[in-house]
Amino acid sequence: MSENRAAPLTAKWLGQLRVERITDETLGVRTFRLRAPDGGPLPFIYTPGQFLNVEFGIGGARMHRSYSISSSPHERDYVELTVKREPRGAVSRHIVDLLKVGDEIAAGGPVGKFTFTGTEADSVVLLSAGVGITPMMSTARYLTEQSWPGDIYFIYSCHTEADFIFQKAIAELEPRNPKLHVVVTISKPGPDWKGPRGRITKELLTEAVPDLASRRVHVCGPVTMMDAAKAMLTELGVTAENLKSEQFGAVKPAPAAPGTTANPKAAATGPLVTFAKNNKSAKIHVDLQTGDSPPKQSILELSEELGIGIDFSCRIGTCGVCKVNMTSGEVDQEVQDALDEDDKSSGIILACQAKPKTEVTVEA
């Protein structure tokens, strides 16, 4: 077994990476090649589809974000993150506008279970839109370099030809892999576009992928695209076991301003949560009515209401930034992707996912 096929050092590495190269992909999307500061091999290994957590000090605050890796794990000297500049994204604007060659950034990981190495199935459909293409590129590059014998159906959607991320890289990859089948559809194409037009549809999927219902499908993109794609795939017979997804864009539950996550006129009636380091306690609200939050608060949402300052990034249970130690109590966690067995046995929970079932004390 090669070094690159070893188990990833999930969520355990923390350190600095130096920007070696910056490549413009499209307007507002850049790829950042990162290396170890000493110029040596990367201090971690990863699996296609994983991401890194990065941290920046912006406006006097520490901010964390998670970005998928777009390079192949075969590249041991560097890792690449492809970042889209979001108009309201403080971190993405900082990265795309201000980061320059030679800068060092704080990073950690790799994390995430949206992975495919070729051992999971004998063919794969990589379905993405917008910047959701990034983990798909890592996977397609890796499988090509492995001379993986299975069929790879690479289906991508974007608004215009100018928004086609990795257009050159995909064009270079196709002739190297006769098993790579690429279909790109443009929703607002120009007159010279020769490929499919419009968004991804059931008709496009069935035409592009023979025997679709029998194949493993990975889906990544903005929330609306994800919801539509998963509904179509289910209608076309793809089972839940064969459908893997990772959300890009806005996350649920959405961050809320302190004091706005619950009806202020209603008393909190849920279990008591004690934040030991801050010497603060409060009951969980179980009657939330506004925003994207479910009816019961998470520990992270309550911490925001009290100004505790638990770090977070993805808010969907995959990045691990919001890990805290629970010293007493019991919680439900819908997603635990960022927790390994050592975390679970040590009482580590994900604040963004943890919904108290009993009185809880956490070290925060």
Side-chain angles (χ1 to χ4, degrees):
M1 181 177 290
S2 69
E3 176 187 26
N4 291 318
R5 295 298 294 275
L9 305 176
T10 305
K12 295 300 182 183
W13 176 81
L14 291 172
Q16 298 289 122
L17 294 173
R18 177 173 50 81
V19 180
E20 180 183 63
R21 179 187 300 175
I22 301 173
T23 303
D24 288 325
E25 301 290 352
T26 65
L27 182 63
V29 178
R30 286 182 162 181
T31 293
F32 296 82
R33 178 171 293 186
L34 309 175
R35 296 198 61 166
D38 63 5
L42 291 172
F44 57 85
I45 57 176
Y46 61 95
T47 300
Q50 290 194 300
F51 55 89
L52 290 180
N53 296 319
V54 295
E55 177 185 338
F56 295 91
I58 301 173
R62 291 169 57 222
M63 296 188 181
H64 299 82
R65 292 296 184 271
S66 306
Y67 292 106
S68 286
I69 297 169
S70 54
S71 54
S72 165
H74 277 285
E75 305 293 348
R76 291 300 306 132
D77 290 336
Y78 64 83
V79 63
E80 291 182 336
L81 303 181
T82 301
V83 180
K84 177 183 178 181
R85 185 189 191 278
E86 300 290 351
R88 296 185 179 180
V91 176
S92 68
R93 285 188 285 116
H94 179 89
I95 293 173
V96 173
D97 295 350
L98 301 177
L99 211 58
K100 59 184 183 299
V101 171
D103 286 348
E104 292 190 9
I105 65 172
V111 288
K113 297 183 179 181
F114 183 68
T115 57
F116 188 83
T117 63
T119 61
E120 302 88 346
D122 57 10
S123 67
V124 67
V125 180
L126 304 177
L127 178 61
S128 64
V131 76
I133 195 175
T134 53
M136 308 309 193
M137 278 304 300
S138 179
T139 302
R141 284 166 164 164
Y142 177 80
L143 295 175
T144 297
E145 291 159 355
Q146 288 282 98
S147 298
W148 187 61
D151 284 301
I152 307 165
Y153 297 93
F154 194 109
I155 303 173
Y156 178 61
S157 173
C158 57
H159 292 301
T160 70
E161 293 100 311
D163 299 314
F164 186 173
I165 302 170
F166 298 125
Q167 183 172 12
K168 180 180 178 181
I170 291 173
E172 293 173 348
L173 201 61
E174 282 187 273
R176 295 173 51 197
N177 187 352
K179 306 293 280 186
L180 176 63
H181 314 286
V182 177
V183 174
V184 177
T185 183
I186 306 293
S187 58
K188 296 180 180 179
D192 296 329
W193 177 250
K194 305 300 182 184
R197 295 166 176 253
R199 297 184 179 182
I200 295 170
T201 63
K202 288 193 292 184
E203 292 73 23
L204 176 70
L205 291 173
T206 53
E207 183 178 338
V209 186
D211 303 316
L212 174 62
S214 66
R215 303 186 190 277
R216 182 180 175 111
V217 183
H218 282 223
V219 185
C220 188
V223 176
T224 53
M225 173 269 181
M226 294 276 290
D227 291 342
K230 288 189 284 188
M232 285 187 285
L233 291 164
T234 299
E235 290 179 19
L236 292 170
V238 178
T239 65
E241 293 74 21
N242 277 338
L243 181 54
K244 310 298 177 182
S245 61
E246 181 160 86
Q247 182 173 288
F248 267 46
V251 297
K252 299 179 180 180
T260 64
T261 58
N263 182 349
K265 296 180 181 179
T269 58
L272 183 73
V273 178
T274 298
F275 298 93
K277 291 182 179 179
N278 282 267
N279 197 28
K280 292 183 179 180
S281 298
K283 289 185 176 182
I284 287 285
H285 277 276
V286 295
D287 58 350
L288 305 186
Q289 300 296 323
T290 60
D292 293 325
S293 297
K296 189 174 183 179
Q297 270 182 320
S298 68
I299 287 178
L300 177 61
E301 289 173 316
L302 181 60
S303 77
E304 292 175 317
E305 196 171 280
L306 298 178
I308 300 298
I310 294 177
D311 290 331
F312 68 89
S313 178
C314 75
R315 299 182 76 104
I316 56 175
T318 58
C319 73
V321 171
C322 69
K323 288 181 182 180
V324 293
N325 186 26
M326 181 176 67
T327 55
S328 67
E330 188 177 356
V331 298
D332 284 325
Q333 297 181 93
E334 183 177 355
V335 179
Q336 302 184 58
D337 289 356
L339 298 179
D340 58 27
E341 292 307 315
D342 288 342
D343 290 329
K344 295 174 184 178
S345 63
S346 301
I348 301 298
I349 61 173
L350 298 172
C352 75
Q353 296 294 300
K355 307 289 182 67
K357 298 169 64 178
T358 66
E359 289 191 5
V360 167
T361 300
V362 295
E363 293 182 353

